[in-house]
Amino acid sequence: MDFKPASIQNLHTCPRALLVMVLLFPGRIAQEQCCMAALEDTSCTQGINMAKDEGDCKSLLSGIDRASVPHLMLCHLGLPVSHQCGQVSHACCLDGDTMFMFATNDRSSSGVSELCFLAAGKCSQRCLGNGTCGCLKGYKLKPDGHSCEDINECLLGSYNCRAGERCINTVGSYRCQRVVSCGTGYELTESNICKDVDECETGTHNCGPELECQNTQGSFRCRPRVRCGSGFIQDALGSCIDINECLSQTAPCPSGQLCINTVGSYTCQRNTVNCGRGYHLNEDGTRCVDVDECQGPDAACGGHGCINQLGSYRCECRAGYAFNSISRSCDDINECRHYPGRLCAHKCENTVGSFQCSCTPGFKLASDGRNCDDVNECESSPCSQECANVYGSYQCYCRRGYQLSDVDGVVCEDIDECALPTGGHICSYRCHNTPGSFHCTCPELGYSLAPNGRNCQDIDECVTGTHSCSVTESCFNIQGGFRCLSFECPTNYRRSGEARCERLPCGQSSECLALPVRITHYYLTFPTNIPVPTTIFRMGPSNAVPGDDVQLAVVSGNEEGYFSAQRLSSGGAITIQRPITEPRDFLLFVEMKLRRYGTFSTFLAKISVFVTHDLSGVLVSPASF
């Protein structure tokens, strides 16, 4: 059975109790009683809920002397409510929160018996009878049997939203909200519907003052306010402009008439006979006939051939001339300009009706009068030494060791190769000029002239056996000389190679452990004035281990500060930091300290450095390290 809600005042006099009454009677009277019961049930439920929020039954009894009034009479408050709500109020007053069932056989004025089940406020929304609770639409009963909770229709899929809308849950219900925008020309209404925007009414159109706005679905149109009459057309701004019928229409006037445009229309005018150039009226004056210009007394083509044509004539010009259609005469052709580079090999000069060729210096005109032949100037011996004929000219050149004079370019002069700006690079040591050539020399001792005749090559005395070292000494070659080398291992060391001393076992002696583990001798040689800084020596552990700490220092032999020690990722390096301009010898003591796994080890390198004279271009044997 469906009931239409009515406007009934909320009841505040039924605190913490719920009345559910279901009446079923046959006929119209039973239907009315049933509807009234349902309305009272709804109103009473609203009053119960409001009473729960605002107070309990005690607020109804404030100001009453309980000692002077029996308990049963105290609960008969005579509230102006229906029988059902009165029973609930009475039960609430008597028993508080105790759930009980109250039954009566009392009949209403209509003779209908009523059965009320009182839940004493245990149901949060509705009582269904027999102590069973129910919920309103949009809610569901919790597991506790008397509380109600909201149903999420969006999560359960029990909503009815249209395409392009999404469901949003609300307490006891849901609402649909549009997701896709309405697009240009539409707006979203409060009812979630896309409504066309009337740009003409809102004034958001861009129609000009000569145009009026007409709304369309999602847009608008601009239509002219004024309609143009016949013979006019409307432009984009709504203005009326005249139509030129003489141009826009095909033959608007009959044959033999001339079309003249007017504002909004046109007129046709009969043609008059007017002969153009090359024609004249016949004797009757009715038509135009051709004029034969070739028969005139003025000699139209000036001695050239003349051919008459309808309305004109054409001249047949002689060779070297061309017909000018503007002046209608034969003009001279400038062949040199008209055929550039195609008539003459070198120079072209125009003449009346023809042309003439000529040649540049060094050439003579060929027998055909157009090409040019080369002139061999060397036949007259213009050069002091050698002459070479070239196309159109000649070239004097000199033998090796000579050069052409800057004065005439013909006489050959000796070249002083040693005096040239690059003379210092011709010979590595000294240069001696000779007529037409030169020769190089080297220092008397330690060098010999290389096979190329320019460079000085170092003599390796250690290889040739021309050194003076004893049997116990070793020979070390340097540029322009040699050194006799020998060394002995100090105490507590033994010799382990040609240039290496190893420390003997130390035992527990701290002084011995502080000595270098190894002493190695190195020999270096290089010329003076090498660029600075330049690395000359590198030192480091043979096998690197993560966490190694390597420190390198020059402990002796660097009193003048020519050398410096630099730390590298895998050891260290010795570099020259000051230019060495004079030959000299150095003995450097380079100490490397290695800390590995918390233990320090020292290694010593004794480096003999021999700096020799700088002879640029000297072929030097590689230095030994």
Side-chain angles (χ1 to χ4, degrees):
M1 181 180 296
D2 296 331
F3 300 99
K4 184 177 182 181
S7 176
I8 303 176
Q9 296 292 332
N10 294 328
L11 302 180
H12 300 279
T13 59
C14 193
R16 303 181 66 185
L18 179 64
L19 174 63
V20 177
M21 181 176 70
V22 179
L23 300 176
L24 296 174
F25 295 99
R28 182 173 182 83
I29 296 177
Q31 183 178 5
E32 291 179 356
Q33 293 295 328
C34 183
C35 291
M36 289 299 296
L39 292 175
E40 290 181 356
D41 180 29
T42 303
S43 301
C44 186
T45 300
Q46 295 175 354
I48 291 170
N49 293 335
M50 187 173 295
K52 287 180 179 181
D53 296 336
E54 296 182 1
D56 54 13
C57 291
K58 294 180 181 180
S59 61
L60 298 174
L61 304 175
S62 60
I64 300 177
D65 186 6
R66 293 177 177 268
S68 61
V69 181
H71 184 60
L72 292 176
M73 294 181 62
L74 185 63
C75 291
H76 289 281
L77 301 177
L79 299 175
V81 296
S82 65
H83 177 72
Q84 290 87 344
C85 278
Q87 293 298 328
V88 171
S89 174
H90 183 70
C92 176
C93 178
L94 289 174
D95 205 17
D97 292 336
T98 304
M99 178 180 289
F100 65 93
M101 181 178 72
F102 178 79
T104 177
N105 292 326
D106 186 18
R107 297 182 177 271
S108 61
S109 58
S110 60
V112 180
S113 64
E114 300 173 348
L115 182 62
C116 295
F117 296 96
L118 302 180
K122 292 299 182 180
C123 295
S124 63
Q125 288 189 358
R126 297 179 60 189
C127 274
L128 302 181
N130 295 327
T132 304
C133 297
C135 298
L136 300 176
K137 183 179 180 180
Y139 296 86
K140 64 180 179 180
L141 196 64
K142 289 185 177 180
D144 59 7
H146 60 84
S147 300
C148 295
E149 63 180 351
D150 174 58
I151 297 175
N152 192 335
E153 294 84 356
C154 300
L155 185 62
L156 299 178
S158 59
Y159 58 88
N160 187 23
C161 294
R162 293 174 295 184
E165 297 178 343
R166 66 185 180 94
C167 175
I168 299 177
N169 186 60
T170 59
V171 178
S173 184
Y174 67 92
R175 62 185 178 91
C176 297
Q177 180 174 324
R178 187 177 179 88
V179 177
V180 181
S181 63
C182 293
T184 305
Y186 294 89
E187 62 180 354
L188 189 65
T189 63
E190 295 180 356
S191 59
N192 211 28
I193 299 175
C194 290
K195 176 185 176 183
D196 173 59
V197 177
D198 191 343
E199 293 85 357
C200 301
E201 182 179 350
T202 59
T204 57
H205 61 85
N206 58 353
C207 298
E210 299 295 332
L211 304 174
E212 63 180 358
C213 176
Q214 179 182 357
N215 185 61
T216 61
Q217 285 295 323
S219 184
F220 63 93
R221 292 181 179 176
C222 297
R223 297 186 177 275
R225 296 181 182 274
V226 179
R227 304 295 180 182
C228 296
S230 177
F232 294 90
I233 190 173
Q234 204 156 32
D235 61 8
L237 299 178
S239 302
C240 295
I241 57 177
D242 175 55
I243 299 175
N244 190 341
E245 294 83 359
C246 298
L247 299 177
S248 62
Q249 299 181 18
T250 303
C253 294
S255 179
Q257 294 187 358
L258 178 66
C259 177
I260 301 175
N261 184 62
T262 60
V263 178
S265 184
Y266 66 96
T267 59
C268 296
Q269 188 177 36
R270 187 178 183 83
N271 290 329
T272 58
V273 178
N274 184 17
C275 297
R277 183 178 180 180
Y279 293 88
H280 62 85
L281 285 173
N282 61 0
E283 295 179 355
D284 298 336
T286 57
R287 62 188 181 89
C288 296
V289 294
D290 176 58
V291 175
D292 189 354
E293 293 84 357
C294 295
Q295 299 298 325
D298 298 333
C301 292
H304 297 271
C306 181
I307 299 175
N308 184 61
Q309 295 177 332
L310 288 176
S312 181
Y313 67 95
R314 181 172 59 84
C315 296
E316 286 189 347
C317 302
R318 297 189 299 271
Y321 294 88
F323 180 67
N324 189 333
S325 60
I326 298 176
S327 63
R328 311 199 68 78
S329 60
C330 291
D331 295 340
D332 173 57
I333 298 175
N334 189 338
E335 294 86 355
C336 300
R337 183 181 301 173
H338 197 67
Y339 307 102
R342 294 163 58 185
L343 299 177
C344 299
H346 286 186
K347 296 180 180 179
C348 179
E349 182 181 355
N350 184 62
T351 60
V352 178
S354 185
F355 63 94
Q356 185 176 359
C357 296
S358 61
C359 299
T360 56
F363 294 90
K364 60 183 178 179
L365 194 63
S367 59
D368 60 3
R370 293 191 177 188
N371 293 311
C372 295
D373 295 334
D374 176 55
V375 176
N376 189 355
E377 296 84 356
C378 292
E379 293 178 353
S380 60
S381 300
C383 301
S384 65
Q385 286 188 359
E386 303 294 337
C387 176
N389 184 59
V390 295
Y391 189 70
S393 183
Y394 68 97
Q395 178 67 47
C396 295
Y397 65 94
C398 303
R399 291 183 289 273
R400 185 175 183 180
Y402 295 87
Q403 63 182 0
L404 283 174
S405 173
D406 295 335
V407 178
D408 54 12
V410 174
V411 178
C412 292
E413 299 174 346
D414 174 56
I415 299 174
D416 187 356
E417 293 85 357
C418 300
L420 292 176
T422 59
H425 301 286
I426 295 177
C427 297
S428 63
Y429 185 61
R430 287 181 182 175
C431 176
H432 303 274
N433 185 59
T434 59
S437 185
F438 67 95
H439 70 274
C440 301
T441 59
C442 296
E444 296 180 0
L445 298 176
Y447 294 94
S448 64
L449 195 63
N452 61 11
R454 295 190 179 188
N455 296 100
C456 292
Q457 114 180 337
D458 175 56
I459 299 174
D460 192 342
E461 295 85 356
C462 300
V463 174
T464 60
T466 58
H467 61 84
S468 59
C469 298
S470 64
V471 179
T472 59
E473 295 177 326
S474 62
C475 178
F476 179 75
N477 184 66
I478 62 174
Q479 292 184 26
F482 63 93
R483 292 288 188 273
C484 296
L485 306 175
S486 64
F487 75 94
E488 294 181 358
C489 294
T491 305
N492 293 332
Y493 286 87
R494 64 178 178 83
R495 189 164 182 167
S496 61
E498 294 184 359
R500 181 178 301 172
C501 296
E502 297 285 345
R503 188 184 67 189
L504 298 175
C506 292
Q508 300 298 323
S509 174
S510 59
E511 295 180 358
C512 178
L513 292 174
L515 295 175
V517 176
R518 184 183 301 116
I519 300 175
T520 308
H521 294 262
Y522 298 91
Y523 308 101
L524 306 177
T525 179
F526 49 81
T528 58
N529 297 315
I530 63 173
V532 291
T534 299
T535 300
I536 62 172
F537 182 78
R538 285 187 175 88
M539 189 174 182
S542 58
N543 55 336
V545 175
D548 282 355
D549 183 13
V550 180
Q551 296 180 1
L552 197 70
V554 181
V555 297
S556 178
N558 191 29
E559 288 76 10
E560 298 180 54
Y562 285 102
F563 307 92
S564 65
Q566 294 182 352
R567 188 170 183 177
L568 302 178
S569 58
S570 60
I574 303 300
T575 60
I576 300 176
Q577 64 179 1
R578 284 182 54 195
I580 304 176
T581 59
E582 296 294 334
R584 59 185 302 177
D585 296 344
F586 296 91
L587 178 59
L588 303 178
F589 283 57
V590 179
E591 186 179 69
M592 183 183 75
K593 292 185 177 181
L594 171 64
R595 183 171 65 87
R596 177 176 292 177
Y597 305 130
T599 303
F600 278 96
S601 299
T602 305
F603 301 86
L604 181 64
K606 294 183 178 181
I607 307 172
S608 297
V609 181
F610 307 108
V611 182
T612 61
H613 280 287
D614 179 17
L615 296 181
S616 299
V618 175
L619 298 179
V620 183
S621 300
S624 300
F625 293 93

